[in-house]
Amino acid sequence: EAVQSIKKNITFDYTVQKKIPAMKPTFKLANLQVKAPAMEEIQRSLVETGKKNLDPVKIFNALDGLISGRGAEAVTSSIDLTSLDIPIDLSFDIEVKNGTKARLDWRNMNYDFLISDAKILSGSTGNIVNEGSRSVISIANTFSSKAMGRAVINMLKNREGRYRIAGTSIVKFPDEVKREPLSLSFDESGPFRLK
C-alpha cells in the first residue's frame, strides 16, 4: 500500500550552467615573401628534367627578375618555367584574432594555399605563437615552377593578388570552457600584397 501511494511521475526543478566555447576568428595574411631559387637548384632541375641545353644563369636571372617584380614579361615569353621543376620558397604568416573573450590556442594546421584559385601549396605547420586572443601561424614551404601558371605570374608581376587558405586545425580552449582540443575546419580568403 505504501508503494502504491507514491506518484508515478515526479518533477524536479533544476538549472544547468555550462560555458559554451565562443569563437569569432578573423584571419589576415601577412609577410608574404617569395624567394628565388639558388643556382644549384636550377642546375639540378635542368639535369633531372633533361633540359641541359638551357642556360642556368639566364634562368636564374629570369626567375630573380620575375620574383623581384622586374622583367616579368621577358620571363613569360622566353622560358617555359612550367616545363622545369625548380623549387621556389614561399613563406607567410596567418594572423588569427578571436573577436570574443575566449582564448584560442592553435596547436597545428593542415592547409591548402591557393592564389587566384590556383593551388600552390599543401602542407602542415606547428610553428604557432599564441598571445592572448591573437595567434600567429607561420608557414614556410616550397612550390614548383610547374605551378607558375598565369595566376602566379600575374601575382608576381602586379605584386598583389587574392589568396585562399583552407584546411583543418586543432584548437584548445581554456580548461574551464573545454578540456579536450577541438578539430576545426576553416576556409578563408582575401587580398594580399607582396613585400
Side-chain angles (χ1 to χ4, degrees), residues 38-170:
M39 182 66 74
E40 297 78 30
E41 293 168 325
I42 293 171
Q43 291 169 334
R44 184 173 37 251
S45 172
L46 292 177
V47 170
E48 290 173 358
T49 56
K51 308 270 183 168
K52 297 179 196 175
N53 59 330
L54 294 177
D55 181 2
V57 173
K58 183 178 178 183
I59 294 171
F60 175 82
N61 290 335
L63 277 170
D64 186 53
L66 177 63
I67 289 169
S68 66
R70 302 180 311 267
E73 290 302 324
V75 174
T76 56
S77 62
S78 67
I79 299 172
D80 180 13
L81 295 172
T82 61
S83 69
L84 305 173
D85 187 14
I86 301 170
I88 299 169
D89 294 334
L90 177 68
S91 63
F92 55 91
D93 294 330
I94 301 171
E95 295 178 3
V96 185
K97 290 184 182 177
N98 191 20
T100 66
K101 291 182 180 180
R103 176 185 165 95
L104 301 179
D105 284 338
W106 294 74
R107 299 289 173 92
N108 70 354
M109 177 181 277
N110 298 311
Y111 62 87
D112 290 326
F113 182 72
L114 299 89
I115 295 176
S116 301
D117 294 324
K119 186 170 161 183
I120 304 300
L121 301 174
S122 287
S124 62
T125 185
N127 188 1
I128 300 170
V129 176
N130 294 296
E131 301 168 336
S133 64
R134 179 177 175 263
S135 298
V136 178
I137 303 163
S138 296
I139 293 177
N141 206 328
T142 302
F143 70 95
S144 171
S145 61
K146 288 182 175 184
M148 291 191 75
R150 180 58 38 202
V152 176
I153 289 172
N154 284 341
M155 176 268 295
L156 292 169
K157 198 164 72 171
N158 299 328
R159 315 306 292 159
E160 63 183 12
R162 290 201 59 81
Y163 77 93
R164 181 173 162 225
I165 189 160
T168 59
S169 185
I170 300 296

